[in-house]
Amino acid sequence: VNSEASNLHSIPTDCPQRDERMGWLNDMTVRIDQALYNFDLSRFYAKWINDIKDTQRDDGSITDTAPFKWGYNPADPVSASYLLLALQSYNFYGNKNIVRDHYQGLKAWVDFLFSRTENGIVNYSTWGDWSPPIKYALNPQSANSKDTPGLLISTGYLYYCSNIISKLAHIIGYEEDEVLYKQLANFIGNAFNREYWDEQTGGYASNNQASNSFALFIKIVPEDKIQRVVDNLVEDVKAQDYHLTTGNLCTKYLLEMLTEYGHHEIAYKIATQKTYPSWGYMIENGATTLWERWEYATGSTMNSHNHPMMGSIGSWLYKYIIGIQPNIDGPGFSEFTIRPYIFNDLNFAEGEFDSIMGKIKSSWRKETDSIILNVTIPDNTRAIVFIPTTKIESITETDININNVKEVNFLHTENKYAVFSIGSGSYSFKSEWN
Protein backbone atom coordinates (compact mmCIF):
# COMPACT_ATOMS: atom_id res chain seq x y z
CA VAL A 1 0.00 0.00 0.00
CA ASN A 2 2.85 2.41 0.80
CA SER A 3 4.55 1.64 -2.50
CA GLU A 4 1.40 2.00 -4.56
CA ALA A 5 0.30 5.22 -2.85
CA SER A 6 3.62 6.91 -3.52
CA ASN A 7 3.47 5.94 -7.19
CA LEU A 8 0.02 7.33 -8.04
CA HIS A 9 0.77 10.88 -9.10
CA SER A 10 -0.66 11.73 -12.53
CA ILE A 11 0.55 8.37 -13.86
CA PRO A 12 1.25 5.01 -12.16
CA THR A 13 5.00 5.37 -11.87
CA ASP A 14 7.52 2.62 -11.21
CA CYS A 15 9.26 4.49 -8.39
CA PRO A 16 8.98 8.02 -6.91
CA GLN A 17 12.39 8.42 -5.29
CA ARG A 18 14.88 8.38 -8.16
CA ASP A 19 15.27 9.88 -11.61
CA GLU A 20 12.95 7.52 -13.49
CA ARG A 21 9.28 7.95 -12.46
CA MET A 22 7.69 6.50 -15.58
CA GLY A 23 4.44 4.72 -16.30
CA TRP A 24 5.68 1.22 -17.11
CA LEU A 25 3.01 -0.96 -18.69
CA ASN A 26 4.75 -4.24 -17.85
CA ASP A 27 4.55 -3.45 -14.12
CA MET A 28 0.85 -2.65 -14.35
CA THR A 29 0.01 -6.02 -15.92
CA VAL A 30 0.29 -7.67 -12.49
CA ARG A 31 0.09 -4.65 -10.20
CA ILE A 32 -3.38 -3.64 -11.38
CA ASP A 33 -5.48 -5.92 -9.14
CA GLN A 34 -3.63 -4.96 -5.97
CA ALA A 35 -4.06 -1.27 -6.78
CA LEU A 36 -7.79 -1.65 -7.50
CA TYR A 37 -8.41 -3.34 -4.16
CA ASN A 38 -6.56 -0.64 -2.23
CA PHE A 39 -7.52 2.58 -4.05
CA ASP A 40 -10.37 4.17 -5.99
CA LEU A 41 -8.83 4.35 -9.46
CA SER A 42 -12.03 4.79 -11.46
CA ARG A 43 -10.86 8.12 -12.89
CA PHE A 44 -7.12 7.54 -12.64
CA TYR A 45 -7.13 4.49 -14.92
CA ALA A 46 -9.59 6.12 -17.32
CA LYS A 47 -7.05 8.92 -17.65
CA TRP A 48 -3.97 6.71 -18.01
CA ILE A 49 -5.49 4.50 -20.70
CA ASN A 50 -5.77 7.70 -22.76
CA ASP A 51 -2.03 8.24 -22.27
CA ILE A 52 -1.40 4.76 -23.64
CA LYS A 53 -3.69 5.39 -26.60
CA ASP A 54 -1.71 8.55 -27.37
CA THR A 55 1.41 6.43 -27.91
CA GLN A 56 -0.26 4.10 -30.41
CA ARG A 57 1.02 4.11 -33.97
CA ASP A 58 -0.93 3.33 -37.12
CA ASP A 59 0.31 -0.27 -37.01
CA GLY A 60 -1.36 -0.75 -33.60
CA SER A 61 1.86 -0.85 -31.59
CA ILE A 62 2.14 0.94 -28.26
CA THR A 63 5.15 1.88 -26.12
CA ASP A 64 6.70 0.41 -22.98
CA THR A 65 5.95 3.57 -20.99
CA ALA A 66 3.06 5.99 -21.23
CA PRO A 67 3.41 8.89 -21.73
CA PHE A 68 6.36 7.65 -23.77
CA LYS A 69 9.59 8.69 -22.09
CA TRP A 70 11.85 5.65 -22.28
CA GLY A 71 11.74 2.00 -23.27
CA TYR A 72 10.84 0.47 -26.59
CA ASN A 73 8.32 0.93 -29.36
CA PRO A 74 6.78 -1.53 -29.92
CA ALA A 75 6.22 -2.37 -26.29
CA ASP A 76 7.00 -5.81 -24.96
CA PRO A 77 3.96 -8.11 -25.39
CA VAL A 78 3.78 -8.34 -21.59
CA SER A 79 1.87 -5.04 -21.81
CA ALA A 80 -1.49 -6.75 -21.40
CA SER A 81 -2.16 -3.91 -18.96
CA TYR A 82 -3.56 -1.87 -21.86
CA LEU A 83 -6.43 -4.33 -22.13
CA LEU A 84 -6.65 -5.00 -18.41
CA LEU A 85 -7.27 -1.32 -17.69
CA ALA A 86 -10.50 -1.59 -19.70
CA LEU A 87 -11.48 -5.05 -18.49
CA GLN A 88 -10.86 -4.36 -14.82
CA SER A 89 -12.49 -0.92 -14.97
CA TYR A 90 -15.57 -2.80 -16.17
CA ASN A 91 -15.23 -5.50 -13.51
CA PHE A 92 -14.57 -3.15 -10.59
CA TYR A 93 -16.53 -0.04 -11.61
CA GLY A 94 -19.03 -1.23 -14.21
CA ASN A 95 -17.47 1.21 -16.71
CA LYS A 96 -18.68 -0.01 -20.10
CA ASN A 97 -17.80 3.30 -21.78
CA ILE A 98 -14.07 2.70 -21.31
CA VAL A 99 -14.46 -0.61 -23.16
CA ARG A 100 -16.49 0.95 -25.96
CA ASP A 101 -14.29 4.04 -26.33
CA HIS A 102 -10.99 2.13 -26.44
CA TYR A 103 -12.05 -1.08 -28.12
CA GLN A 104 -10.56 -0.32 -31.54
CA GLY A 105 -7.20 0.65 -30.03
CA LEU A 106 -7.13 -2.43 -27.81
CA LYS A 107 -7.96 -4.64 -30.76
CA ALA A 108 -5.25 -2.95 -32.84
CA TRP A 109 -2.63 -3.86 -30.21
CA VAL A 110 -3.69 -7.51 -30.33
CA ASP A 111 -3.66 -7.43 -34.12
CA PHE A 112 -0.17 -5.94 -34.07
CA LEU A 113 1.09 -8.73 -31.82
CA PHE A 114 -0.43 -11.29 -34.16
CA SER A 115 1.37 -9.61 -37.06
CA ARG A 116 4.62 -10.36 -35.20
CA THR A 117 4.07 -14.11 -35.08
CA GLU A 118 5.77 -16.90 -36.97
CA ASN A 119 3.81 -20.16 -36.96
CA GLY A 120 1.79 -18.78 -34.07
CA ILE A 121 4.79 -17.81 -31.90
CA VAL A 122 5.42 -14.11 -31.22
CA ASN A 123 8.87 -13.29 -32.56
CA TYR A 124 10.16 -10.73 -30.07
CA SER A 125 10.62 -10.16 -26.34
CA THR A 126 12.31 -7.40 -24.37
CA TRP A 127 11.60 -7.83 -20.66
CA GLY A 128 9.74 -11.12 -20.17
CA ASP A 129 9.38 -12.23 -16.55
CA TRP A 130 11.54 -9.37 -15.37
CA SER A 131 13.73 -9.40 -12.28
CA PRO A 132 13.73 -12.92 -10.83
CA PRO A 133 16.16 -13.69 -7.97
CA ILE A 134 19.65 -12.96 -9.26
CA LYS A 135 20.57 -16.66 -9.40
CA TYR A 136 17.94 -17.05 -12.13
CA ALA A 137 18.90 -13.95 -14.13
CA LEU A 138 20.99 -14.06 -17.29
CA ASN A 139 23.90 -12.59 -15.34
CA PRO A 140 24.43 -10.48 -12.20
CA GLN A 141 24.08 -7.27 -14.23
CA SER A 142 20.85 -8.38 -15.92
CA ALA A 143 17.25 -8.64 -14.74
CA ASN A 144 16.16 -10.86 -17.61
CA SER A 145 15.29 -14.45 -16.73
CA LYS A 146 17.67 -17.12 -17.99
CA ASP A 147 15.20 -19.99 -17.50
CA THR A 148 11.90 -18.49 -18.68
CA PRO A 149 11.92 -18.01 -22.46
CA GLY A 150 10.95 -14.51 -23.49
CA LEU A 151 9.04 -15.79 -26.49
CA LEU A 152 7.02 -18.13 -24.28
CA ILE A 153 5.93 -15.12 -22.22
CA SER A 154 5.25 -13.02 -25.34
CA THR A 155 3.20 -15.74 -27.02
CA GLY A 156 1.31 -16.50 -23.82
CA TYR A 157 0.33 -12.86 -23.49
CA LEU A 158 -0.96 -12.79 -27.05
CA TYR A 159 -3.14 -15.79 -26.16
CA TYR A 160 -4.27 -14.04 -22.97
CA CYS A 161 -5.00 -10.76 -24.75
CA SER A 162 -6.90 -12.52 -27.54
CA ASN A 163 -9.22 -14.00 -24.94
CA ILE A 164 -9.59 -10.62 -23.23
CA ILE A 165 -10.57 -8.97 -26.52
CA SER A 166 -13.13 -11.71 -27.03
CA LYS A 167 -14.59 -10.90 -23.60
CA LEU A 168 -14.59 -7.16 -24.31
CA ALA A 169 -16.30 -7.78 -27.66
CA HIS A 170 -19.00 -9.74 -25.83
CA ILE A 171 -19.50 -6.87 -23.35
CA ILE A 172 -20.24 -4.34 -26.10
CA GLY A 173 -22.08 -6.71 -28.40
CA TYR A 174 -19.51 -7.31 -31.15
CA GLU A 175 -20.47 -10.92 -31.74
CA GLU A 176 -18.29 -11.52 -34.81
CA ASP A 177 -15.18 -10.26 -33.02
CA GLU A 178 -16.05 -12.33 -29.97
CA VAL A 179 -15.90 -15.47 -32.09
CA LEU A 180 -12.94 -14.32 -34.22
CA TYR A 181 -10.63 -13.61 -31.30
CA LYS A 182 -11.60 -16.79 -29.52
CA GLN A 183 -10.52 -18.61 -32.66
CA LEU A 184 -7.28 -16.61 -32.72
CA ALA A 185 -6.66 -17.59 -29.10
CA ASN A 186 -7.16 -21.26 -29.98
CA PHE A 187 -4.67 -20.94 -32.85
CA ILE A 188 -2.07 -19.29 -30.64
CA GLY A 189 -2.73 -21.79 -27.84
CA ASN A 190 -2.07 -24.72 -30.15
CA ALA A 191 1.20 -23.14 -31.28
CA PHE A 192 2.22 -22.46 -27.67
CA ASN A 193 1.61 -26.04 -26.63
CA ARG A 194 3.34 -27.39 -29.70
CA GLU A 195 6.41 -25.24 -29.07
CA TYR A 196 6.80 -25.28 -25.30
CA TRP A 197 5.14 -28.39 -23.88
CA ASP A 198 7.69 -31.02 -22.83
CA GLU A 199 6.05 -34.42 -22.64
CA GLN A 200 9.05 -35.96 -20.92
CA THR A 201 9.10 -33.54 -17.96
CA GLY A 202 5.38 -32.82 -17.88
CA GLY A 203 5.90 -29.07 -17.90
CA TYR A 204 6.56 -26.07 -20.10
CA ALA A 205 9.95 -24.97 -21.42
CA SER A 206 12.46 -25.38 -18.58
CA ASN A 207 9.69 -26.70 -16.30
CA ASN A 208 10.33 -23.86 -13.86
CA GLN A 209 7.91 -22.02 -11.60
CA ALA A 210 7.38 -19.13 -13.98
CA SER A 211 6.67 -21.13 -17.14
CA ASN A 212 4.28 -23.54 -15.44
CA SER A 213 2.36 -21.04 -13.30
CA PHE A 214 1.99 -18.69 -16.28
CA ALA A 215 0.61 -21.46 -18.49
CA LEU A 216 -1.89 -22.41 -15.79
CA PHE A 217 -2.94 -18.81 -15.21
CA ILE A 218 -3.72 -18.05 -18.85
CA LYS A 219 -5.59 -21.38 -19.06
CA ILE A 220 -3.60 -22.64 -22.01
CA VAL A 221 -2.84 -26.08 -20.53
CA PRO A 222 -4.92 -28.95 -22.01
CA GLU A 223 -7.16 -30.59 -19.42
CA ASP A 224 -5.30 -33.90 -19.49
CA LYS A 225 -1.98 -32.18 -18.73
CA ILE A 226 -3.02 -29.87 -15.90
CA GLN A 227 -2.27 -32.27 -13.05
CA ARG A 228 1.27 -32.94 -14.25
CA VAL A 229 1.95 -29.21 -14.51
CA VAL A 230 0.56 -28.57 -11.03
CA ASP A 231 2.59 -31.46 -9.59
CA ASN A 232 5.76 -30.11 -11.17
CA LEU A 233 5.03 -26.64 -9.85
CA VAL A 234 4.60 -27.97 -6.33
CA GLU A 235 7.75 -30.10 -6.49
CA ASP A 236 9.81 -27.14 -7.71
CA VAL A 237 8.63 -24.98 -4.81
CA LYS A 238 9.46 -27.74 -2.35
CA ALA A 239 12.89 -28.18 -3.94
CA GLN A 240 13.48 -24.46 -3.32
CA ASP A 241 12.53 -24.92 0.33
CA TYR A 242 9.27 -23.03 -0.29
CA HIS A 243 10.88 -20.03 -1.98
CA LEU A 244 9.99 -18.46 -5.30
CA THR A 245 12.18 -18.22 -8.41
CA THR A 246 9.87 -15.87 -10.31
CA GLY A 247 10.09 -12.28 -11.51
CA ASN A 248 7.64 -9.39 -11.42
CA LEU A 249 5.00 -11.09 -13.58
CA CYS A 250 4.93 -14.74 -12.65
CA THR A 251 5.17 -14.15 -8.92
CA LYS A 252 1.47 -13.22 -9.07
CA TYR A 253 0.63 -16.32 -11.07
CA LEU A 254 2.64 -18.62 -8.80
CA LEU A 255 0.70 -17.73 -5.65
CA GLU A 256 -2.67 -17.71 -7.38
CA MET A 257 -2.25 -20.98 -9.23
CA LEU A 258 -0.94 -22.86 -6.22
CA THR A 259 -3.98 -21.62 -4.32
CA GLU A 260 -6.56 -22.38 -6.98
CA TYR A 261 -5.21 -25.85 -7.72
CA GLY A 262 -5.42 -27.11 -4.16
CA HIS A 263 -2.07 -26.06 -2.69
CA HIS A 264 -2.97 -22.92 -0.78
CA GLU A 265 -0.82 -24.05 2.16
CA ILE A 266 2.25 -24.00 -0.08
CA ALA A 267 1.33 -20.55 -1.35
CA TYR A 268 1.00 -19.45 2.27
CA LYS A 269 4.50 -20.73 3.06
CA ILE A 270 5.92 -18.70 0.19
CA ALA A 271 3.95 -15.62 1.24
CA THR A 272 5.18 -15.80 4.84
CA GLN A 273 8.83 -16.60 4.21
CA LYS A 274 11.35 -14.42 6.01
CA THR A 275 14.47 -15.58 4.23
CA TYR A 276 15.71 -14.58 0.79
CA PRO A 277 14.04 -14.30 -1.65
CA SER A 278 10.75 -13.16 -0.14
CA TRP A 279 8.68 -10.20 0.99
CA GLY A 280 9.49 -11.15 4.57
CA TYR A 281 13.18 -10.83 3.75
CA MET A 282 12.54 -7.24 2.71
CA ILE A 283 10.74 -6.54 5.99
CA GLU A 284 13.46 -8.25 8.03
CA ASN A 285 15.90 -5.84 6.39
CA GLY A 286 13.94 -2.74 7.33
CA ALA A 287 11.78 -2.27 4.23
CA THR A 288 8.68 -0.09 4.53
CA THR A 289 8.10 -0.19 0.78
CA LEU A 290 8.70 -2.89 -1.83
CA TRP A 291 12.06 -3.36 -3.53
CA GLU A 292 12.63 -3.58 -7.28
CA ARG A 293 14.83 -6.64 -6.80
CA TRP A 294 14.52 -9.54 -4.41
CA GLU A 295 18.07 -8.61 -3.41
CA TYR A 296 18.91 -5.56 -1.33
CA ALA A 297 20.48 -3.86 -4.34
CA THR A 298 22.43 -0.64 -4.02
CA GLY A 299 24.66 1.25 -6.40
CA SER A 300 23.91 2.86 -9.73
CA THR A 301 21.39 0.42 -11.26
CA MET A 302 18.33 -1.61 -10.22
CA ASN A 303 18.39 -0.08 -6.77
CA SER A 304 14.86 1.14 -6.23
CA HIS A 305 13.48 0.40 -2.79
CA ASN A 306 10.02 1.77 -3.50
CA HIS A 307 8.75 -0.20 -6.49
CA PRO A 308 5.20 -1.69 -6.53
CA MET A 309 5.73 -4.25 -9.30
CA MET A 310 6.31 -7.01 -6.73
CA GLY A 311 3.11 -6.04 -4.92
CA SER A 312 0.76 -8.60 -6.45
CA ILE A 313 0.72 -10.42 -3.12
CA GLY A 314 -1.61 -7.61 -2.01
CA SER A 315 -4.37 -8.82 -4.32
CA TRP A 316 -3.72 -12.42 -3.19
CA LEU A 317 -4.66 -11.34 0.34
CA TYR A 318 -7.98 -9.90 -0.83
CA LYS A 319 -8.82 -12.64 -3.34
CA TYR A 320 -7.92 -15.70 -1.27
CA ILE A 321 -7.42 -14.84 2.43
CA ILE A 322 -10.70 -12.95 2.83
CA GLY A 323 -11.92 -14.17 -0.55
CA ILE A 324 -13.49 -11.08 -2.17
CA GLN A 325 -13.50 -11.23 -5.98
CA PRO A 326 -15.48 -9.45 -8.73
CA ASN A 327 -17.70 -11.34 -11.18
CA ILE A 328 -17.63 -10.28 -14.82
CA ASP A 329 -21.34 -11.14 -15.08
CA GLY A 330 -22.07 -8.68 -12.27
CA PRO A 331 -19.88 -5.67 -13.19
CA GLY A 332 -19.17 -3.01 -10.61
CA PHE A 333 -19.70 -5.55 -7.82
CA SER A 334 -23.43 -5.73 -8.47
CA GLU A 335 -22.70 -9.43 -8.01
CA PHE A 336 -19.46 -10.77 -6.58
CA THR A 337 -17.87 -13.77 -4.93
CA ILE A 338 -16.66 -14.35 -1.38
CA ARG A 339 -14.53 -17.48 -1.15
CA PRO A 340 -12.01 -17.45 1.70
CA TYR A 341 -9.38 -20.16 1.96
CA ILE A 342 -8.76 -21.56 5.44
CA PHE A 343 -5.08 -21.94 6.33
CA ASN A 344 -3.58 -24.20 8.97
CA ASP A 345 -1.40 -21.48 10.47
CA LEU A 346 -4.06 -18.77 10.53
CA ASN A 347 -6.71 -18.69 13.23
CA PHE A 348 -8.58 -15.71 11.82
CA ALA A 349 -8.63 -13.18 9.00
CA GLU A 350 -10.68 -10.07 8.41
CA GLY A 351 -10.85 -7.33 5.82
CA GLU A 352 -13.07 -5.09 3.78
CA PHE A 353 -13.26 -3.59 0.31
CA ASP A 354 -14.87 -0.28 -0.58
CA SER A 355 -16.69 -1.15 -3.80
CA ILE A 356 -18.71 1.42 -5.74
CA MET A 357 -21.81 -0.34 -4.43
CA GLY A 358 -20.74 0.00 -0.81
CA LYS A 359 -18.47 -1.63 1.74
CA ILE A 360 -17.98 -5.38 1.42
CA LYS A 361 -16.73 -7.15 4.55
CA SER A 362 -15.43 -10.66 5.04
CA SER A 363 -13.96 -12.21 8.16
CA TRP A 364 -13.49 -15.71 9.46
CA ARG A 365 -12.17 -17.32 12.61
CA LYS A 366 -11.64 -20.82 13.87
CA GLU A 367 -13.41 -22.18 16.90
CA THR A 368 -13.32 -25.71 18.26
CA ASP A 369 -14.36 -27.91 15.31
CA SER A 370 -16.07 -25.00 13.56
CA ILE A 371 -15.60 -21.90 11.40
CA ILE A 372 -17.37 -18.58 11.92
CA LEU A 373 -17.71 -16.61 8.65
CA ASN A 374 -19.08 -13.07 8.85
CA VAL A 375 -19.92 -11.19 5.66
CA THR A 376 -21.52 -7.88 4.77
CA ILE A 377 -23.23 -7.57 1.39
CA PRO A 378 -24.09 -4.00 0.26
CA ASP A 379 -27.60 -2.88 -0.69
CA ASN A 380 -28.77 -3.78 -4.21
CA THR A 381 -26.10 -6.44 -4.68
CA ARG A 382 -25.86 -10.21 -4.46
CA ALA A 383 -22.91 -12.39 -3.53
CA ILE A 384 -21.96 -15.97 -4.26
CA VAL A 385 -20.62 -17.03 -0.87
CA PHE A 386 -18.52 -20.15 -0.35
CA ILE A 387 -19.02 -21.24 3.26
CA PRO A 388 -16.18 -23.48 4.48
CA THR A 389 -17.62 -26.66 5.97
CA THR A 390 -17.10 -30.37 6.33
CA LYS A 391 -20.78 -30.95 7.08
CA ILE A 392 -23.37 -28.91 5.15
CA GLU A 393 -26.20 -29.77 7.55
CA SER A 394 -24.31 -28.01 10.34
CA ILE A 395 -24.45 -24.52 8.79
CA THR A 396 -26.35 -21.88 10.73
CA GLU A 397 -26.82 -18.14 10.35
CA THR A 398 -27.04 -16.40 13.70
CA ASP A 399 -28.07 -19.73 15.29
CA ILE A 400 -30.80 -20.40 12.70
CA ASN A 401 -30.43 -23.33 10.32
CA ILE A 402 -29.40 -21.85 6.99
CA ASN A 403 -32.29 -23.57 5.17
CA ASN A 404 -34.66 -21.30 7.10
CA VAL A 405 -32.99 -18.01 6.09
CA LYS A 406 -34.98 -16.60 3.16
CA GLU A 407 -32.21 -14.30 1.84
CA VAL A 408 -29.94 -17.33 1.31
CA ASN A 409 -30.31 -19.76 -1.60
CA PHE A 410 -28.32 -22.98 -1.83
CA LEU A 411 -26.50 -23.53 -5.16
CA HIS A 412 -24.15 -26.51 -4.81
CA THR A 413 -21.23 -28.00 -2.89
CA GLU A 414 -17.63 -27.73 -4.04
CA ASN A 415 -14.70 -29.39 -2.27
CA LYS A 416 -14.98 -28.24 1.35
CA TYR A 417 -17.50 -25.49 0.62
CA ALA A 418 -21.24 -25.10 0.53
CA VAL A 419 -22.07 -22.43 -2.05
CA PHE A 420 -24.98 -20.01 -1.63
CA SER A 421 -26.42 -16.99 -3.40
CA ILE A 422 -26.96 -14.31 -0.77
CA GLY A 423 -28.77 -10.98 -0.83
CA SER A 424 -27.90 -7.70 0.86
CA GLY A 425 -27.26 -7.61 4.58
CA SER A 426 -24.84 -8.72 7.30
CA TYR A 427 -24.60 -12.43 8.10
CA SER A 428 -22.82 -14.62 10.61
CA PHE A 429 -22.43 -18.20 9.45
CA LYS A 430 -21.20 -21.05 11.63
CA SER A 431 -20.26 -24.40 10.16
CA GLU A 432 -18.62 -27.62 11.24
CA TRP A 433 -14.92 -27.80 10.32
CA ASN A 434 -12.62 -30.58 11.38
Side-chain angles (χ1 to χ4, degrees):
V1 173
N2 289 348
S3 296
E4 191 65 51
S6 52
N7 281 285
L8 291 176
H9 299 279
S10 177
I11 60 174
T13 51
D14 55 335
C15 54
Q17 82 293 352
R18 67 178 187 185
D19 189 16
E20 186 168 349
R21 305 184 188 93
M22 290 184 285
W24 280 97
L25 274 73
N26 64 333
D27 291 3
M28 184 55 66
T29 292
V30 289
R31 163 185 167 189
I32 185 168
D33 289 356
Q34 166 273 126
L36 285 163
Y37 277 113
N38 285 307
F39 300 90
D40 177 1
L41 298 170
S42 53
R43 291 180 295 171
F44 192 95
Y45 281 170
K47 179 267 183 191
W48 193 53
I49 198 173
N50 286 329
D51 293 337
I52 300 172
K53 175 60 178 174
D54 285 345
T55 75
Q56 193 164 40
R57 292 179 172 176
D58 291 342
D59 64 1
S61 65
I62 56 176
T63 57
D64 277 331
T65 58
F68 186 49
K69 176 69 175 176
W70 194 84
Y72 292 90
N73 186 352
D76 189 297
V78 303
S79 300
S81 49
Y82 185 24
L83 281 75
L84 289 170
L85 287 166
L87 178 64
Q88 294 298 64
S89 291
Y90 178 76
N91 278 336
F92 275 74
Y93 306 124
N95 187 348
K96 185 183 285 189
N97 287 337
I98 197 172
V99 178
R100 185 180 294 111
D101 294 347
H102 287 277
Y103 179 78
Q104 295 303 327
L106 301 172
K107 187 170 75 166
W109 170 232
V110 177
D111 290 345
F112 170 80
L113 292 177
F114 183 62
S115 76
R116 293 295 304 268
T117 59
E118 298 172 10
N119 298 318
I121 302 298
V122 177
N123 64 10
Y124 80 104
S125 170
T126 307
W127 313 113
D129 188 31
W130 182 249
S131 196
I134 200 165
K135 177 181 177 181
Y136 304 99
L138 282 175
N139 58 64
Q141 285 71 49
S142 171
N144 287 106
S145 173
K146 69 180 177 65
D147 298 319
T148 308
L151 298 189
L152 174 146
I153 296 294
S154 295
T155 305
Y157 274 112
L158 174 55
Y159 174 84
Y160 184 44
C161 289
S162 298
N163 278 315
I164 293 175
I165 278 289
S166 182
K167 291 177 183 178
L168 297 179
H170 175 78
I171 289 167
I172 57 177
Y174 287 14
E175 295 179 1
E176 290 185 5
D177 277 1
E178 180 184 358
V179 173
L180 177 65
Y181 285 92
K182 192 65 180 175
Q183 291 172 342
L184 176 60
N186 290 338
F187 174 76
I188 299 300
N190 288 335
F192 182 98
N193 281 301
R194 184 175 63 246
E195 182 73 16
Y196 296 110
W197 171 253
D198 187 328
E199 180 63 27
Q200 185 173 354
T201 64
Y204 286 88
S206 64
N207 200 28
N208 66 341
Q209 292 177 16
S211 299
N212 286 334
S213 62
F214 180 55
L216 289 167
F217 176 80
I218 61 176
K219 295 180 169 57
I220 207 168
V221 185
E223 188 71 28
D224 63 342
K225 295 177 170 59
I226 288 176
Q227 193 57 54
R228 293 182 70 190
V229 177
V230 172
D231 290 345
N232 277 318
L233 189 60
V234 168
E235 289 308 310
D236 190 283
V237 172
K238 289 179 178 178
Q240 303 296 331
D241 194 23
Y242 300 95
H243 290 81
L244 50 78
T245 63
T246 47
N248 68 333
L249 299 172
C250 294
T251 293
K252 172 183 170 69
Y253 309 142
L254 174 66
L255 289 184
E256 293 194 1
M257 293 303 97
L258 285 169
T259 304
E260 292 192 8
Y261 283 98
H263 299 281
H264 57 287
E265 295 294 350
I266 292 178
Y268 182 86
K269 287 185 178 182
I270 296 171
T272 56
Q273 279 287 359
K274 292 185 178 181
T275 54
Y276 168 85
S278 68
W279 296 277
Y281 176 76
M282 298 181 191
I283 295 170
E284 292 292 300
N285 282 273
T288 57
T289 49
L290 293 157
W291 301 346
E292 182 177 18
R293 297 297 302 253
W294 294 111
E295 300 77 33
Y296 184 66
T298 59
S300 60
T301 60
M302 293 295 286
N303 60 358
S304 171
H305 299 143
N306 188 354
H307 219 90
M309 71 182 187
M310 297 299 192
S312 57
I313 189 173
S315 53
W316 182 78
L317 297 174
Y318 279 96
K319 292 169 71 174
Y320 302 105
I321 301 286
I322 60 171
I324 299 173
Q325 298 197 38
N327 291 352
I328 195 168
D329 293 328
F333 282 84
S334 56
E335 182 178 284
F336 55 93
T337 297
I338 296 181
R339 181 179 181 168
Y341 284 74
I342 309 302
F343 297 83
N344 291 337
D345 290 341
L346 277 183
N347 289 322
F348 76 96
E350 61 183 4
E352 59 187 40
F353 168 63
D354 286 316
S355 78
I356 63 169
M357 299 298 290
K359 194 180 294 293
I360 300 168
K361 296 182 179 181
S362 172
S363 67
W364 58 266
R365 70 178 187 273
K366 295 176 183 176
E367 293 189 348
T368 304
D369 296 328
S370 64
I371 294 285
I372 307 295
L373 172 65
N374 296 317
V375 300
T376 297
I377 315 301
D379 291 345
N380 302 311
T381 70
R382 290 197 71 82
I384 307 301
V385 178
F386 287 66
I387 300 176
T389 186
T390 52
K391 187 177 181 181
I392 188 171
E393 314 89 76
S394 69
I395 302 175
T396 60
E397 196 287 308
T398 318
D399 297 326
I400 300 171
N401 186 280
I402 197 167
N403 294 324
N404 298 322
V405 181
K406 65 179 181 178
E407 296 87 356
V408 175
N409 298 310
F410 174 73
L411 298 178
H412 60 270
T413 58
E414 185 174 323
N415 297 325
K416 288 186 175 182
Y417 293 98
V419 187
F420 295 85
S421 175
I422 296 175
S424 305
S426 293
Y427 303 85
S428 181
F429 300 107
K430 184 174 183 178
S431 56
E432 189 170 302
W433 182 266
N434 50 40

